[in-house]
Amino acid sequence: MSRRPAYLKSKSGSYWLVSALLAVLVWLIYGYGNDFPLQSLVEHSILKERHFQGQTEELFVPEAGLKTYYMYEDSSPLVAMSFLFDKSGTAYDPEAEQGTAVLTAMTLKDGAGKFEAEELREEMAVRGIQIGFGADKDMFSGYMITPKEFLPQATEYLRLILTQPRFERIYFDNAKERVLKTLATEKEDPDKELSLAFNRRIYGNHPYGRNPLGTATTIENIKRSDLQAFVRKKLGRDNLYIGIAGDLTKEEAVVMVKDIFKDLREESESVILPEPHIDWQQPVLHISRNGGQNIAAFAAQGTCRKCADFYPLYIANYLFGGAGLNSRLNQRIREKEGLTYGGYSGLVINDLSDLLTAGFSATAKKFGRAETLFEKEWKKVGQRGFSSEELASAQNYLTASYNLRFASVAGIAEMLAYMQKYDLGLDFLRKRNSYVKAVTLEQLNAAAKKYFNESLLQAEIGNFGGEKN
């Protein structure tokens, strides 16, 4: 029998037990499809009453002028770090260089320092080290996951990637080609076409309204030196949030942060974006297209992460369209009338614009009826709110399911980074469920009345031959 690598052995077994349970959960959901009783399973899960035991600490790294949120977690011999560079996302690309943040994220680890790209990939693969990057509207982000025994190597690899990236020509050219192909084929996907058009309708000429991939012209004109300049200028220590979790001491965490980030510039070069002006009275955006399904998307004003009504709106969104088959929306347009495979709603949190979004798809024949019922359910929430039974059910599920996020050190590290970004406090992980449970019916329905109103933007794509009933 072959011997398991040391870094795959769990000290207590609890991490791997929880991971295995999550894997079974995913298999069951996909195996049973949309009819799987997820809420019932979560409410009866052994994780429901699991309390978060980890202690979040703030560590200071004076040599680098940095701080990090840290949590010791020795249930598996892994170390995870998540980091966010604020005001360096796709909206902050210069207009003539749109797509720079995305291209940088795609190619940043394609060679660094003395390591060519293939050599670096092999070095990380044989040690089970994972490093990756991404970009959204506001932030350029990254992560590192490594077995504890290879922490020194992972630290050095990430340091080189952030300070001496090579952006090897063949991979840079391949990345540009992939982006250009994606841009050329985006209209073949109705969901993507609608999403991009609706985003432009909402934000107009504001950088939030751009295609995050850029344009064919800007991608073709971006040079490797632009990516090198992006890393040098945008990734600074002044706009950096770091979260660390796993099997390492506080002293080791401080050394790791110092070694990785101390050579970044002290102050990043960025711009201050204005807040977007959104006209909430714009007419419906119609895009004609033949296809099997018509798709509708909606957007209303949302609330900020630190606003007092965040948790009331969070619960209202869950009850309206975020609860899967149990939501008001799906019960009305899917379960009762079979008009759609499903609808949804969600909260979008951006630095300069917060949205409450929703949508559904249906055949052309059923679309009109589904649209009418959507409008009725939306107005009903705004006018009548929710019941005490609905509030209790949502609070039970949202507190029980939150514990599932504690199954990986990578997930914890990411939460620790975002806790700093949104200034949620060191004790957030312990207190989060109490915030959900503290929402009263009066607060819930006040949020429903405020946000589920007539200032609702709509976009739709498809063949609109159906009639409303």
Side-chain angles (χ1 to χ4, degrees), residues 356-409:
L356 169 61
T357 62
F360 67 87
S361 61
T363 62
K365 184 177 180 180
K366 297 179 178 179
F367 183 83
R369 175 65 175 163
E371 186 179 28
T372 297
L373 294 179
F374 176 94
E375 294 170 356
K376 287 182 178 179
E377 289 302 315
W378 181 274
K379 290 178 181 178
K380 184 189 296 185
V381 168
Q383 295 170 357
R384 304 180 189 176
F386 300 95
S387 68
S388 57
E389 291 77 14
E390 287 176 302
L391 172 59
S393 175
Q395 288 172 322
N396 287 338
Y397 177 81
L398 292 172
T399 53
S401 62
Y402 189 70
N403 293 329
L404 296 174
R405 300 187 186 188
F406 303 154
S408 76
V409 292

Short mmCIF file of all heavy atoms in Angstrom, two decimals, residues 356-409:
data_model
loop_
_atom_site.label_atom_id
_atom_site.label_comp_id
_atom_site.label_asym_id
_atom_site.label_seq_id
_atom_site.Cartn_x
_atom_site.Cartn_y
_atom_site.Cartn_z
N LEU A 356 -30.02 45.61 -5.67
CA LEU A 356 -30.87 44.44 -5.43
C LEU A 356 -31.28 43.95 -6.81
O LEU A 356 -31.92 44.68 -7.56
CB LEU A 356 -32.09 44.84 -4.61
CG LEU A 356 -33.23 43.81 -4.48
CD1 LEU A 356 -32.73 42.54 -3.81
CD2 LEU A 356 -34.40 44.42 -3.73
N THR A 357 -30.86 42.74 -7.17
CA THR A 357 -31.09 42.23 -8.52
C THR A 357 -32.02 41.03 -8.49
O THR A 357 -32.18 40.37 -7.46
CB THR A 357 -29.77 41.84 -9.20
OG1 THR A 357 -29.16 40.77 -8.45
CG2 THR A 357 -28.82 43.02 -9.27
N ALA A 358 -32.63 40.75 -9.64
CA ALA A 358 -33.52 39.60 -9.76
C ALA A 358 -33.64 39.22 -11.23
O ALA A 358 -33.20 39.97 -12.11
CB ALA A 358 -34.90 39.91 -9.18
N GLY A 359 -34.23 38.06 -11.48
CA GLY A 359 -34.42 37.64 -12.86
C GLY A 359 -35.07 36.28 -12.97
O GLY A 359 -35.24 35.56 -11.98
N PHE A 360 -35.44 35.92 -14.20
CA PHE A 360 -36.00 34.60 -14.49
C PHE A 360 -35.91 34.39 -16.00
O PHE A 360 -35.63 35.31 -16.77
CB PHE A 360 -37.46 34.49 -14.03
CG PHE A 360 -38.41 35.37 -14.80
CD1 PHE A 360 -39.00 34.93 -15.99
CD2 PHE A 360 -38.71 36.65 -14.35
CE1 PHE A 360 -39.85 35.75 -16.70
CE2 PHE A 360 -39.56 37.48 -15.07
CZ PHE A 360 -40.15 37.02 -16.24
N SER A 361 -36.15 33.16 -16.43
CA SER A 361 -36.24 32.85 -17.86
C SER A 361 -37.48 31.99 -18.08
O SER A 361 -37.92 31.26 -17.18
CB SER A 361 -34.99 32.12 -18.34
OG SER A 361 -34.83 30.89 -17.66
N ALA A 362 -38.04 32.08 -19.28
CA ALA A 362 -39.23 31.30 -19.62
C ALA A 362 -39.33 31.22 -21.14
O ALA A 362 -38.72 32.01 -21.86
CB ALA A 362 -40.49 31.94 -19.04
N THR A 363 -40.10 30.28 -21.62
CA THR A 363 -40.33 30.20 -23.07
C THR A 363 -41.11 31.44 -23.50
O THR A 363 -41.77 32.10 -22.68
CB THR A 363 -41.13 28.94 -23.43
OG1 THR A 363 -42.42 29.00 -22.80
CG2 THR A 363 -40.41 27.67 -22.97
N ALA A 364 -41.04 31.73 -24.79
CA ALA A 364 -41.74 32.91 -25.30
C ALA A 364 -43.23 32.85 -25.00
O ALA A 364 -43.87 33.86 -24.69
CB ALA A 364 -41.50 33.03 -26.81
N LYS A 365 -43.80 31.65 -25.05
CA LYS A 365 -45.23 31.49 -24.81
C LYS A 365 -45.61 31.79 -23.37
O LYS A 365 -46.70 32.32 -23.09
CB LYS A 365 -45.65 30.06 -25.18
CG LYS A 365 -47.14 29.79 -25.05
CD LYS A 365 -47.47 28.38 -25.50
CE LYS A 365 -48.97 28.10 -25.38
NZ LYS A 365 -49.31 26.72 -25.83
N LYS A 366 -44.72 31.46 -22.44
CA LYS A 366 -45.02 31.62 -21.02
C LYS A 366 -44.43 32.89 -20.42
O LYS A 366 -44.71 33.22 -19.27
CB LYS A 366 -44.49 30.41 -20.24
CG LYS A 366 -45.14 29.08 -20.62
CD LYS A 366 -44.54 27.94 -19.82
CE LYS A 366 -45.21 26.62 -20.16
NZ LYS A 366 -44.61 25.49 -19.38
N PHE A 367 -43.61 33.59 -21.20
CA PHE A 367 -42.86 34.71 -20.64
C PHE A 367 -43.78 35.82 -20.13
O PHE A 367 -43.57 36.36 -19.04
CB PHE A 367 -41.90 35.27 -21.70
CG PHE A 367 -41.04 36.39 -21.19
CD1 PHE A 367 -39.88 36.13 -20.48
CD2 PHE A 367 -41.39 37.71 -21.41
CE1 PHE A 367 -39.08 37.15 -20.01
CE2 PHE A 367 -40.60 38.76 -20.94
CZ PHE A 367 -39.44 38.46 -20.24
N GLY A 368 -44.79 36.19 -20.91
CA GLY A 368 -45.66 37.27 -20.51
C GLY A 368 -46.34 37.02 -19.18
O GLY A 368 -46.42 37.90 -18.32
N ARG A 369 -46.84 35.79 -19.00
CA ARG A 369 -47.49 35.43 -17.74
C ARG A 369 -46.50 35.46 -16.59
O ARG A 369 -46.79 35.98 -15.51
CB ARG A 369 -48.11 34.04 -17.88
CG ARG A 369 -48.73 33.48 -16.62
CD ARG A 369 -49.92 34.26 -16.16
NE ARG A 369 -50.58 33.63 -15.03
CZ ARG A 369 -51.43 34.25 -14.23
NH1 ARG A 369 -51.75 35.53 -14.45
NH2 ARG A 369 -52.00 33.62 -13.23
N ALA A 370 -45.30 34.93 -16.82
CA ALA A 370 -44.28 34.94 -15.77
C ALA A 370 -43.89 36.36 -15.39
O ALA A 370 -43.71 36.68 -14.21
CB ALA A 370 -43.05 34.16 -16.24
N GLU A 371 -43.81 37.23 -16.38
CA GLU A 371 -43.45 38.63 -16.12
C GLU A 371 -44.53 39.32 -15.27
O GLU A 371 -44.22 40.07 -14.33
CB GLU A 371 -43.27 39.35 -17.45
CG GLU A 371 -42.76 40.77 -17.32
CD GLU A 371 -42.57 41.41 -18.68
OE1 GLU A 371 -43.29 41.03 -19.63
OE2 GLU A 371 -41.71 42.29 -18.80
N THR A 372 -45.79 39.04 -15.60
CA THR A 372 -46.89 39.62 -14.83
C THR A 372 -46.84 39.17 -13.38
O THR A 372 -47.01 39.97 -12.45
CB THR A 372 -48.24 39.22 -15.46
OG1 THR A 372 -48.33 39.76 -16.77
CG2 THR A 372 -49.41 39.74 -14.63
N LEU A 373 -46.60 37.88 -13.16
CA LEU A 373 -46.55 37.35 -11.80
C LEU A 373 -45.34 37.86 -11.04
O LEU A 373 -45.41 38.09 -9.82
CB LEU A 373 -46.58 35.83 -11.83
CG LEU A 373 -47.88 35.20 -12.35
CD1 LEU A 373 -47.77 33.68 -12.36
CD2 LEU A 373 -49.07 35.64 -11.50
N PHE A 374 -44.23 38.03 -11.74
CA PHE A 374 -43.05 38.62 -11.09
C PHE A 374 -43.40 40.01 -10.55
O PHE A 374 -43.10 40.34 -9.40
CB PHE A 374 -41.88 38.71 -12.06
CG PHE A 374 -40.67 39.39 -11.47
CD1 PHE A 374 -39.66 38.65 -10.89
CD2 PHE A 374 -40.55 40.78 -11.49
CE1 PHE A 374 -38.55 39.28 -10.32
CE2 PHE A 374 -39.45 41.42 -10.93
CZ PHE A 374 -38.44 40.66 -10.35
N GLU A 375 -44.02 40.82 -11.39
CA GLU A 375 -44.38 42.17 -10.98
C GLU A 375 -45.33 42.16 -9.79
O GLU A 375 -45.20 42.98 -8.87
CB GLU A 375 -45.00 42.92 -12.16
CG GLU A 375 -44.02 43.17 -13.30
CD GLU A 375 -44.69 43.69 -14.55
OE1 GLU A 375 -45.95 43.77 -14.55
OE2 GLU A 375 -44.00 44.00 -15.53
N LYS A 376 -46.28 41.23 -9.80
CA LYS A 376 -47.22 41.14 -8.68
C LYS A 376 -46.52 40.76 -7.39
O LYS A 376 -46.81 41.32 -6.32
CB LYS A 376 -48.32 40.12 -9.02
CG LYS A 376 -49.32 40.59 -10.05
CD LYS A 376 -50.40 39.56 -10.29
CE LYS A 376 -51.44 40.05 -11.29
NZ LYS A 376 -52.50 39.02 -11.53
N GLU A 377 -45.62 39.78 -7.46
CA GLU A 377 -44.91 39.35 -6.25
C GLU A 377 -44.00 40.45 -5.73
O GLU A 377 -43.86 40.64 -4.52
CB GLU A 377 -44.11 38.08 -6.53
CG GLU A 377 -44.96 36.84 -6.72
CD GLU A 377 -45.84 36.56 -5.52
OE1 GLU A 377 -45.35 36.64 -4.37
OE2 GLU A 377 -47.03 36.26 -5.73
N TRP A 378 -43.34 41.17 -6.64
CA TRP A 378 -42.47 42.27 -6.23
C TRP A 378 -43.29 43.34 -5.48
O TRP A 378 -42.89 43.80 -4.41
CB TRP A 378 -41.80 42.86 -7.47
CG TRP A 378 -40.86 44.00 -7.20
CD1 TRP A 378 -41.16 45.32 -7.07
CD2 TRP A 378 -39.44 43.90 -6.99
NE1 TRP A 378 -40.04 46.06 -6.82
CE2 TRP A 378 -38.97 45.22 -6.77
CE3 TRP A 378 -38.54 42.85 -6.99
CZ2 TRP A 378 -37.61 45.50 -6.53
CZ3 TRP A 378 -37.19 43.12 -6.77
CH2 TRP A 378 -36.73 44.43 -6.54
N LYS A 379 -44.44 43.73 -6.07
CA LYS A 379 -45.28 44.74 -5.44
C LYS A 379 -45.87 44.25 -4.12
O LYS A 379 -46.00 45.01 -3.16
CB LYS A 379 -46.41 45.13 -6.40
CG LYS A 379 -45.94 45.92 -7.61
CD LYS A 379 -47.11 46.24 -8.53
CE LYS A 379 -46.63 47.01 -9.76
NZ LYS A 379 -47.74 47.29 -10.71
N LYS A 380 -46.20 42.97 -4.07
CA LYS A 380 -46.76 42.41 -2.84
C LYS A 380 -45.77 42.50 -1.69
O LYS A 380 -46.13 42.84 -0.56
CB LYS A 380 -47.18 40.96 -3.05
CG LYS A 380 -47.86 40.33 -1.84
CD LYS A 380 -48.06 38.85 -2.01
CE LYS A 380 -48.98 38.52 -3.15
NZ LYS A 380 -49.25 37.05 -3.22
N VAL A 381 -44.50 42.21 -1.98
CA VAL A 381 -43.47 42.32 -0.94
C VAL A 381 -43.36 43.76 -0.46
O VAL A 381 -43.28 44.03 0.75
CB VAL A 381 -42.11 41.82 -1.47
CG1 VAL A 381 -40.99 42.20 -0.52
CG2 VAL A 381 -42.14 40.31 -1.66
N GLY A 382 -43.34 44.71 -1.41
CA GLY A 382 -43.23 46.11 -1.03
C GLY A 382 -44.42 46.63 -0.26
O GLY A 382 -44.27 47.48 0.63
N GLN A 383 -45.61 46.12 -0.56
CA GLN A 383 -46.82 46.62 0.08
C GLN A 383 -47.17 45.89 1.37
O GLN A 383 -47.65 46.51 2.33
CB GLN A 383 -47.99 46.53 -0.91
CG GLN A 383 -47.82 47.43 -2.12
CD GLN A 383 -48.84 47.16 -3.20
OE1 GLN A 383 -49.67 46.24 -3.09
NE2 GLN A 383 -48.82 47.94 -4.28
N ARG A 384 -46.96 44.57 1.40
CA ARG A 384 -47.40 43.78 2.54
C ARG A 384 -46.27 43.19 3.37
O ARG A 384 -46.49 42.79 4.52
CB ARG A 384 -48.29 42.63 2.07
CG ARG A 384 -49.49 43.07 1.24
CD ARG A 384 -50.31 41.85 0.83
NE ARG A 384 -51.34 42.20 -0.14
CZ ARG A 384 -52.15 41.32 -0.72
NH1 ARG A 384 -52.03 40.02 -0.41
NH2 ARG A 384 -53.05 41.71 -1.59
N GLY A 385 -45.07 43.10 2.80
CA GLY A 385 -43.96 42.54 3.55
C GLY A 385 -44.07 41.04 3.74
O GLY A 385 -44.65 40.33 2.91
N PHE A 386 -43.53 40.57 4.86
CA PHE A 386 -43.47 39.14 5.14
C PHE A 386 -44.10 38.84 6.49
O PHE A 386 -44.36 39.74 7.30
CB PHE A 386 -42.01 38.68 5.15
CG PHE A 386 -41.29 38.90 3.85
CD1 PHE A 386 -40.52 40.04 3.65
CD2 PHE A 386 -41.39 37.98 2.82
CE1 PHE A 386 -39.86 40.26 2.46
CE2 PHE A 386 -40.74 38.20 1.62
CZ PHE A 386 -39.97 39.33 1.43
N SER A 387 -44.34 37.56 6.73
CA SER A 387 -44.95 37.13 7.99
C SER A 387 -43.87 36.78 9.02
O SER A 387 -42.70 36.59 8.68
CB SER A 387 -45.84 35.91 7.75
OG SER A 387 -45.04 34.78 7.41
N SER A 388 -44.29 36.67 10.26
CA SER A 388 -43.35 36.29 11.32
C SER A 388 -42.85 34.87 11.10
O SER A 388 -41.70 34.56 11.43
CB SER A 388 -44.03 36.40 12.69
OG SER A 388 -45.21 35.60 12.74
N GLU A 389 -43.70 33.99 10.52
CA GLU A 389 -43.27 32.62 10.23
C GLU A 389 -42.18 32.61 9.17
O GLU A 389 -41.21 31.85 9.27
CB GLU A 389 -44.46 31.78 9.77
CG GLU A 389 -45.50 31.50 10.85
CD GLU A 389 -46.41 32.67 11.13
OE1 GLU A 389 -46.42 33.63 10.31
OE2 GLU A 389 -47.11 32.65 12.16
N GLU A 390 -42.33 33.45 8.15
CA GLU A 390 -41.30 33.53 7.11
C GLU A 390 -39.99 34.05 7.68
O GLU A 390 -38.92 33.56 7.35
CB GLU A 390 -41.78 34.44 5.97
CG GLU A 390 -42.86 33.83 5.10
CD GLU A 390 -43.36 34.80 4.05
OE1 GLU A 390 -43.84 35.89 4.44
OE2 GLU A 390 -43.27 34.48 2.86
N LEU A 391 -40.07 35.05 8.53
CA LEU A 391 -38.85 35.59 9.16
C LEU A 391 -38.14 34.52 9.97
O LEU A 391 -36.93 34.34 9.86
CB LEU A 391 -39.21 36.78 10.04
CG LEU A 391 -38.07 37.33 10.91
CD1 LEU A 391 -36.88 37.77 10.06
CD2 LEU A 391 -38.57 38.47 11.79
N ALA A 392 -38.89 33.78 10.78
CA ALA A 392 -38.28 32.74 11.61
C ALA A 392 -37.63 31.65 10.77
O ALA A 392 -36.52 31.19 11.06
CB ALA A 392 -39.33 32.13 12.55
N SER A 393 -38.30 31.25 9.69
CA SER A 393 -37.75 30.23 8.81
C SER A 393 -36.45 30.71 8.16
O SER A 393 -35.47 29.96 8.08
CB SER A 393 -38.77 29.86 7.73
OG SER A 393 -38.22 28.95 6.79
N ALA A 394 -36.44 31.95 7.70
CA ALA A 394 -35.23 32.50 7.07
C ALA A 394 -34.09 32.59 8.07
O ALA A 394 -32.95 32.24 7.76
CB ALA A 394 -35.54 33.88 6.48
N GLN A 395 -34.39 33.06 9.26
CA GLN A 395 -33.33 33.18 10.27
C GLN A 395 -32.75 31.82 10.64
O GLN A 395 -31.53 31.67 10.79
CB GLN A 395 -33.88 33.88 11.52
CG GLN A 395 -34.14 35.36 11.30
CD GLN A 395 -34.87 36.01 12.45
OE1 GLN A 395 -35.77 35.41 13.06
NE2 GLN A 395 -34.51 37.24 12.77
N ASN A 396 -33.59 30.81 10.74
CA ASN A 396 -33.11 29.46 11.05
C ASN A 396 -32.18 28.95 9.97
O ASN A 396 -31.11 28.39 10.25
CB ASN A 396 -34.29 28.50 11.22
CG ASN A 396 -35.04 28.73 12.52
OD1 ASN A 396 -34.49 29.28 13.47
ND2 ASN A 396 -36.29 28.30 12.57
N TYR A 397 -32.58 29.12 8.71
CA TYR A 397 -31.76 28.61 7.62
C TYR A 397 -30.47 29.40 7.47
O TYR A 397 -29.38 28.83 7.31
CB TYR A 397 -32.54 28.64 6.31
CG TYR A 397 -31.69 28.20 5.14
CD1 TYR A 397 -31.48 26.85 4.90
CD2 TYR A 397 -31.05 29.12 4.32
CE1 TYR A 397 -30.68 26.42 3.85
CE2 TYR A 397 -30.25 28.71 3.27
CZ TYR A 397 -30.06 27.36 3.04
OH TYR A 397 -29.26 26.95 2.02
N LEU A 398 -30.56 30.72 7.50
CA LEU A 398 -29.38 31.55 7.25
C LEU A 398 -28.33 31.43 8.35
O LEU A 398 -27.14 31.59 8.10
CB LEU A 398 -29.80 33.01 7.08
CG LEU A 398 -30.62 33.30 5.82
CD1 LEU A 398 -31.16 34.73 5.83
CD2 LEU A 398 -29.78 33.07 4.57
N THR A 399 -28.75 31.13 9.56
CA THR A 399 -27.77 30.91 10.63
C THR A 399 -27.19 29.51 10.57
O THR A 399 -25.99 29.31 10.80
CB THR A 399 -28.40 31.16 12.01
OG1 THR A 399 -29.58 30.37 12.15
CG2 THR A 399 -28.74 32.62 12.20
N ALA A 400 -28.02 28.52 10.22
CA ALA A 400 -27.52 27.15 10.14
C ALA A 400 -26.59 26.96 8.95
O ALA A 400 -25.52 26.36 9.07
CB ALA A 400 -28.69 26.17 10.05
N SER A 401 -26.96 27.47 7.80
CA SER A 401 -26.16 27.27 6.59
C SER A 401 -24.85 28.03 6.64
O SER A 401 -23.88 27.65 5.97
CB SER A 401 -26.95 27.69 5.35
OG SER A 401 -27.26 29.08 5.40
N TYR A 402 -24.79 29.10 7.41
CA TYR A 402 -23.56 29.90 7.49
C TYR A 402 -22.39 29.06 8.00
O TYR A 402 -21.25 29.26 7.62
CB TYR A 402 -23.78 31.11 8.38
CG TYR A 402 -22.65 32.10 8.35
CD1 TYR A 402 -22.43 32.87 7.21
CD2 TYR A 402 -21.81 32.28 9.44
CE1 TYR A 402 -21.40 33.79 7.16
CE2 TYR A 402 -20.78 33.20 9.40
CZ TYR A 402 -20.57 33.95 8.27
OH TYR A 402 -19.54 34.86 8.22
N ASN A 403 -22.69 28.09 8.87
CA ASN A 403 -21.63 27.26 9.43
C ASN A 403 -20.92 26.42 8.39
O ASN A 403 -19.78 25.99 8.59
CB ASN A 403 -22.20 26.35 10.52
CG ASN A 403 -22.66 27.13 11.74
OD1 ASN A 403 -22.11 28.16 12.06
ND2 ASN A 403 -23.69 26.64 12.39
N LEU A 404 -21.59 26.17 7.24
CA LEU A 404 -20.95 25.38 6.19
C LEU A 404 -19.72 26.08 5.63
O LEU A 404 -18.85 25.44 5.06
CB LEU A 404 -21.95 25.10 5.07
CG LEU A 404 -23.18 24.25 5.44
CD1 LEU A 404 -24.14 24.19 4.27
CD2 LEU A 404 -22.77 22.86 5.87
N ARG A 405 -19.65 27.39 5.77
CA ARG A 405 -18.51 28.13 5.24
C ARG A 405 -17.22 27.87 6.04
O ARG A 405 -16.14 28.25 5.60
CB ARG A 405 -18.80 29.63 5.26
CG ARG A 405 -20.00 30.03 4.45
CD ARG A 405 -20.12 31.52 4.37
NE ARG A 405 -21.35 31.93 3.70
CZ ARG A 405 -21.61 33.19 3.36
NH1 ARG A 405 -20.74 34.15 3.63
NH2 ARG A 405 -22.74 33.49 2.76
N PHE A 406 -17.34 27.26 7.19
CA PHE A 406 -16.17 27.07 8.04
C PHE A 406 -15.42 25.79 7.70
O PHE A 406 -14.55 25.36 8.46
CB PHE A 406 -16.61 27.01 9.51
CG PHE A 406 -17.37 28.23 9.97
CD1 PHE A 406 -18.26 28.14 11.02
CD2 PHE A 406 -17.18 29.45 9.35
CE1 PHE A 406 -18.96 29.24 11.45
CE2 PHE A 406 -17.88 30.57 9.77
CZ PHE A 406 -18.78 30.47 10.83
N ALA A 407 -15.74 25.16 6.59
CA ALA A 407 -15.16 23.86 6.28
C ALA A 407 -13.76 23.94 5.71
O ALA A 407 -13.07 22.93 5.66
CB ALA A 407 -16.06 23.10 5.31
N SER A 408 -13.29 25.09 5.26
CA SER A 408 -11.96 25.17 4.66
C SER A 408 -11.21 26.39 5.18
O SER A 408 -11.80 27.45 5.39
CB SER A 408 -12.04 25.22 3.14
OG SER A 408 -12.43 26.49 2.70
N VAL A 409 -9.91 26.23 5.33
CA VAL A 409 -9.10 27.37 5.76
C VAL A 409 -9.07 28.43 4.67
O VAL A 409 -8.93 29.62 4.96
CB VAL A 409 -7.67 26.93 6.13
CG1 VAL A 409 -7.67 26.08 7.39
CG2 VAL A 409 -6.99 26.18 4.99
#
